[in-house]
Amino acid sequence: MSSCNVAVIGAGPAGLVAARELRREGHKAVVFERQAQVGGTWVYQPSVEADPLASDPSRPIVHSSLYPSLRTNLPREVMGFRDYPFLSTGLAHRDSRRFPGHREVLHFINDFTTEFGLNDLIRFETEVVYTGLGADGKWRLRSRRANDEEVDEIFDAVVVCNGHHTEPRIAEIHGIDAWPGKQIHSHNYRIPEPFRDQVVILIGNAFSADDISRDIAQVAKEVHVASRSVDDSMLGKQPGYDNMWLHSTVESVHRDGTVIFQDGSGVLADVIMHCTGYKYYFPFLDTNGIVTVDDNRVGPLYKHVFPPALAPGLSFVGLPWMAPLFAVLELQSQWIAGVLSGRIGLPSQEEMMKDVEAFYLSLEASGTPKRYTHKIGDYEFVYIDWVAAACGLPRLEEWRKKMYHAVFVNKKVRPEAYRDEWDDEDLVLEAQKDFLK
């Protein structure tokens, strides 16, 4: 087996577990982190960006998209790593809830970092400004420290773990340039108070729109959530609220402040909040056009990880979404580490490209938009188990799969209380027995 000198970009959960697996496999890992601490998107920052839509590429970037009231949408049993579960510590200053607040997740990430001695691998306050492949097959990397000093280095491989919750996607709305109201992306949402007594439109129906709409409804005059993928039976005034409605998608907005929905109804609104997700963004990465981001498809990538023409020297961890993320991060990292050492083989470049092309054709045939290339919610466990098998590891535990799906069933039954009331105690007990092994 060979040992490689590997650059890991980012010290969030993806970069940390990648560094751990690389070191376990006998590689030398150097982790570059532009913040002063580990955690990535789980590091809360109360400040927001001056540009509420975060659309100016030259703006000073606030990395975090967290808001104080945010709690996990998955239980801690599902969120942890397979060999390092996210257990309740029982300590007074910690959050012991099954669906804890974001600060508890950061505590867990810090615990993981300490447990595996990863701090020694990390260069904090060091931003990667360039990485590209040299003529000799090695990767050139330039980093910039807090004092603006730039350092050039050479690595055998680069693992990209820089997250994807910083560059917002904005909904395209007919007439928006003439609409007089305020726009904001959920990236810059922190507290409900600025929306007191206002009529607020939220676009999107993922967890952020769901949580933020309930947060804002405490103080807003009216809250209207617009979603392109909601079931018609759910439309209308929302139970438990006298000031919140669910609509079909926004059709157009107008100079007088009116927002018209697809069903023809309309409201006079003060604010539109885009809860519309994020763009994959790699401003530091130079692949001579081999890897591109096209309508949020990072490609071509074999199994969301390896660009066939540059594998295994370049890889990505954490691109898939709508899945139990930490399990994905851990297995992708184990795969990359094993491939770099030569313990695990990859198909030929030609075979990998054929696989990628077949995957893209299947998305097209099913009518899946390109921007959903990395959304694996319809086959998350097929994917996870495939990567596990490629690593020679057991499939994901059945209790973990059942518990993951149980959350979404419970959320439909108890949209307000699914984080505090549940019916899967049998699975919790099974998980706890597993953790004791």
Side-chain angles (χ1 to χ4, degrees), residues 229-243:
S229 55
V230 72
D231 191 299
D232 284 355
S233 65
M234 304 287 291
L235 298 177
K237 200 167 192 179
Q238 295 302 285
Y241 293 88
D242 58 10
N243 66 338

Side-chain angles (χ1 to χ4, degrees), residues 179 199-201 222 224 254 256-259 266-271:
W179 188 71
V199 177
V200 183
I201 311 287
E222 294 178 12
H224 298 267
H254 299 272
D256 64 356
T258 305
V259 175
V267 295
L268 195 63
D270 301 298
V271 181

Side-chain angles (χ1 to χ4, degrees), residues 14 17-19 21-22 317 328-338:
V17 74
E21 297 305 330
L22 288 163
V317 175
V328 172
L329 304 181
E330 186 173 22
L331 282 162
Q332 287 182 331
S333 297
Q334 289 166 332
W335 189 28
I336 292 164

Side-chain angles (χ1 to χ4, degrees), residues 115-167:
E115 176 72 19
F116 295 102
L118 301 177
N119 270 309
D120 294 343
L121 307 180
I122 305 169
R123 296 184 192 167
F124 291 107
E125 296 184 285
T126 304
E127 181 178 7
V128 174
V129 293
Y130 171 85
T131 187
L133 189 63
D136 58 357
K138 303 279 188 179
W139 286 84
R140 270 61 182 165
L141 186 144
R142 178 172 297 152
S143 59
R144 183 186 297 134
R145 295 176 179 165
N147 62 4
D148 285 337
E149 176 192 357
E150 293 193 349
V151 178
D152 291 311
E153 295 170 271
I154 297 174
F155 291 90
D156 299 312
V158 173
V159 184
V160 179
C161 308
N162 68 322
H164 46 88
H165 293 96
T166 299
E167 288 295 316

Side-chain angles (χ1 to χ4, degrees), residues 172-220:
E172 293 181 8
I173 305 171
H174 180 70
I176 195 67
D177 290 342
W179 188 71
K182 179 184 177 184
Q183 293 185 77
I184 178 175
H185 190 276
S186 58
H187 173 67
N188 286 312
Y189 174 76
R190 294 297 181 268
I191 56 174
E193 189 55 37
F195 305 94
R196 181 171 291 280
D197 300 327
Q198 296 192 323
V199 177
V200 183
I201 311 287
L202 289 92
I203 300 176
N205 78 324
F207 282 98
S208 61
D210 207 34
D211 288 346
I212 293 171
S213 63
R214 298 177 199 284
D215 221 13
I216 288 176
Q218 301 172 73
V219 301

Side-chain angles (χ1 to χ4, degrees), residues 71-144:
R71 290 173 65 183
T72 64
N73 53 38
L74 292 176
R76 59 170 72 236
E77 297 89 359
V78 172
M79 280 195 71
F81 298 111
R82 289 222 273 188
D83 67 350
Y84 192 76
F86 187 8
L87 303 175
S88 171
T89 65
L91 296 172
H93 70 286
R94 297 284 290 266
D95 185 345
S96 62
R97 292 174 296 179
R98 194 174 170 217
F99 293 75
H102 61 80
R103 289 175 184 82
E104 177 68 6
V105 181
L106 184 59
H107 279 306
F108 170 69
I109 294 167
N110 277 308
D111 291 345
F112 177 85
T113 306
T114 302
E115 176 72 19
F116 295 102
L118 301 177
N119 270 309
D120 294 343
L121 307 180
I122 305 169
R123 296 184 192 167
F124 291 107
E125 296 184 285
T126 304
E127 181 178 7
V128 174
V129 293
Y130 171 85
T131 187
L133 189 63
D136 58 357
K138 303 279 188 179
W139 286 84
R140 270 61 182 165
L141 186 144
R142 178 172 297 152
S143 59
R144 183 186 297 134

